[in-house]
Amino acid sequence: MKAIDLVHHLATIDTYKRYGRVKQVVGIMIESKGPTCSIGDICYIYPKSGSGKKKILGEVVGFKDENVYIMPFTTVSDIAPGWLVESTEKPLDIKVGDALIGNVLDSMGKPLDGSLLPDNLRSWPTERKPPNPLHRPPITKPLEVGVRSIDGLLTIGKGQRIGIFAGSGVGKSTLLGMIARNTKADLNVIALIGERGREVREFIEHDLGPEGLKRSIVVAATSDQPALMRIKGAYTATAIAEYYRDKGLDVMLMMDSITRIAMAQREVGLATGEPPATKGYTPSVFSMLPVLLERTGTNANGSITAIYTVLVDGDDFNEPIADTVRGILDGHIVLDRNLANKGQYPAINILKSISRLMNSLVTREHFDAANRFRDLLNTYEQSEDLINIGAYKKGSSKEIDEAIEYYPKIISYLKQRTDEKISMEESITLLNKLFAGDYQ
């Protein structure tokens, strides 16, 4: 830096450090008078000297007049009026790099086992703008996920965003584990948001397994953590995926679940005084979802193929969050409890699921075979009650007769063991063989 530039810099720098003070704590919200800050800035709240208590990290989520509303990243049980509040004047940054691969992180990007981060990492912001729409390359290449019913009937493209919609206990985590182990993506980034504490280790050891973990980065924010930590878990995982996309990789981002992120945002919104809108969800929930989901997809360097699970309340697939997310994403996979009860795993309801980009990703022969598969399955299900009670007589309908003939093969195609690995090429070949008469 030139001497004249240095003098000018020193002349314009603010040499005062301004602090605020805690006024009150209401619920999960800390209210302070000052300091000067912006929405999204990270703040430190310092205890009085000699108290032996640790400083608290928080984020500015709102303000009114001179009062600043701060949401803490940890549970606050020992805070007092008058504690100093310092603003960093910048949002949350995390450390990223190849050394994170194979690790389990918390919402702040730190190892969940308490170990230290390596030194050879770089800072990366957690909140970034989505790519410019005109700079997004079209999605033209399919991405193999290793699940026969998806690769064959709901083909996903590199950079596509898709939702898995299901009630509790229908197999979302199991399906995510299968995809993480079998996908041809360069790297998995998996966000477990709002999960029970025991489920995190179970997913890593049983569903993901050592094979999946060695090519994955897991970000976990359990249900006992403050709402802000659950929200930040989603932003941190997305930021990590963006880092590797910018390096030119094809990344698979899996987030379980978007519903719990919306619930956490509702907690924050209600605490800051937002009015409850649709079924208690605040307006900020519905403005946050598209901003978060649009960050994935393609850019000039690489792609983020995103799979978001949506926990539908009482199996109501038209509840507000499910309806909003379905309108943003490029397709949806519906897991059906009735199919799971019949022992069909993965319990994907093909007739209620769709990949909006499949037509531009596969050959005409493949697309026609998938459509015929759907037509036969739909014909059988429309007549299933008549068939089961014996009211249907063979020969009454050529279409129903054909559906009855193919139904056992159709169900066999849809079923897949969790440890069964199958390529997209094999899935398509089996689909074609099903109608060629030599399906085994």
Side-chain angles (χ1 to χ4, degrees), residues 368-404:
D368 290 343
N371 277 344
R372 190 180 180 198
F373 187 104
R374 285 174 172 270
D375 186 53
L376 289 168
L377 180 58
N378 182 60
T379 300
Y380 184 90
E381 290 194 359
Q382 292 288 333
S383 310
E384 188 172 16
D385 291 339
L386 293 175
I387 297 168
N388 289 339
I389 65 175
Y392 174 75
K393 292 183 179 180
K394 187 177 181 181
S396 301
S397 169
K398 181 181 177 181
E399 290 79 12
I400 297 177
D401 288 344
E402 189 179 27
I404 293 173

Side-chain angles (χ1 to χ4, degrees), residues 127-139:
E127 297 194 26
R128 306 175 78 216
K129 292 182 178 180
N132 187 309
L134 298 181
H135 297 165
R136 288 183 184 267
I139 299 171

Side-chain angles (χ1 to χ4, degrees), residues 1-37:
M1 182 180 288
K2 295 180 180 179
I4 189 169
D5 293 334
L6 180 60
V7 170
H8 177 73
H9 177 71
L10 292 174
T12 56
I13 197 171
D14 188 352
T15 56
Y16 288 93
K17 188 69 176 179
R18 295 172 176 82
Y19 293 88
R21 287 192 180 274
V22 173
K23 289 182 61 178
Q24 63 176 347
V25 177
V26 180
I28 58 175
M29 191 69 65
I30 300 171
E31 183 178 337
S32 70
K33 186 172 182 179
T36 303
C37 54

Side-chain angles (χ1 to χ4, degrees), residues 178-194:
M178 287 179 66
I179 294 173
R181 293 193 305 271
N182 300 335
T183 182
K184 291 298 184 181
D186 298 320
L187 178 72
N188 299 315
V189 179
I190 304 170
L192 303 176
I193 310 298

Side-chain angles (χ1 to χ4, degrees), residues 3 7 12 19 26 36 38 40 83 104 192 228 249 257-258 289 305 320 339 396 417 438 440:
V7 170
T12 56
Y19 293 88
V26 180
T36 303
S38 303
W83 283 22
V104 183
L192 303 176
L228 193 60
L249 301 185
S257 73
I258 203 73
L289 287 175
T305 305
L339 296 179
S396 301
R417 300 189 316 273
D438 55 352
Q440 299 295 325

Side-chain angles (χ1 to χ4, degrees), residues 52-293:
K53 297 177 180 179
K54 296 181 179 179
K55 64 182 180 181
I56 296 170
L57 185 66
E59 180 179 309
V60 178
V61 295
F63 55 86
K64 183 178 181 181
D65 299 327
E66 294 183 357
N67 296 332
V68 178
Y69 300 132
I70 302 169
M71 185 76 71
F73 283 102
T74 57
T75 302
V76 177
S77 57
D78 53 356
I79 189 170
W83 283 22
L84 289 179
V85 180
E86 177 191 8
S87 173
T88 63
E89 299 184 357
K90 61 180 183 179
L92 177 67
D93 281 355
I94 57 170
K95 297 292 185 179
V96 293
D98 292 343
L100 296 181
I101 298 175
N103 284 298
V104 183
L105 311 176
D106 64 12
S107 297
M108 311 294 287
K110 299 177 181 177
L112 199 60
D113 60 5
S115 60
L116 297 177
L117 285 171
D119 294 330
N120 56 340
L121 300 176
R122 59 171 293 187
S123 294
W124 193 258
T126 58
E127 297 194 26
R128 306 175 78 216
K129 292 182 178 180
N132 187 309
L134 298 181
H135 297 165
R136 288 183 184 267
I139 299 171
T140 57
K141 296 180 180 179
L143 177 66
E144 180 179 316
V145 299
V147 179
R148 183 165 50 228
S149 52
I150 297 178
D151 285 338
L153 304 168
L154 302 165
T155 309
I156 297 174
K158 291 181 179 179
Q160 186 171 350
R161 302 161 305 153
I162 202 156
I164 297 178
F165 294 73
S168 57
V170 188
K172 298 187 300 298
S173 297
T174 303
L175 181 57
L176 288 181
M178 287 179 66
I179 294 173
R181 293 193 305 271
N182 300 335
T183 182
K184 291 298 184 181
D186 298 320
L187 178 72
N188 299 315
V189 179
I190 304 170
L192 303 176
I193 310 298
E195 294 283 353
R196 303 174 186 89
R198 66 168 180 82
E199 289 181 334
V200 173
R201 185 168 180 176
E202 285 182 6
F203 175 84
I204 294 168
E205 294 183 355
H206 300 136
D207 296 325
L208 187 59
E211 180 184 357
L213 183 59
K214 69 183 181 182
R215 53 197 296 266
S216 303
I217 299 172
V218 180
V219 179
T222 52
S223 58
D224 60 296
Q225 294 184 345
L228 193 60
M229 285 290 278
R230 283 173 269 150
I231 297 170
K232 286 300 173 185
Y235 281 83
T236 295
T238 304
I240 293 172
E242 288 172 322
Y243 167 75
Y244 283 101
R245 177 180 62 184
D246 288 354
K247 289 183 67 176
L249 301 185
D250 293 316
V251 183
M252 173 68 79
L253 171 65
M254 290 180 276
M255 196 170 291
D256 183 17
S257 73
I258 203 73
T259 307
R260 294 192 177 104
I261 298 166
M263 290 178 175
Q265 181 62 40
R266 177 175 61 184
E267 287 183 43
V268 174
L270 292 173
T272 55
E274 280 191 78
T278 309
K279 286 197 174 180
Y281 287 101
T282 56
S284 63
V285 174
F286 300 101
S287 62
M288 177 267 292
L289 287 175
V291 172
L292 176 63
L293 302 183

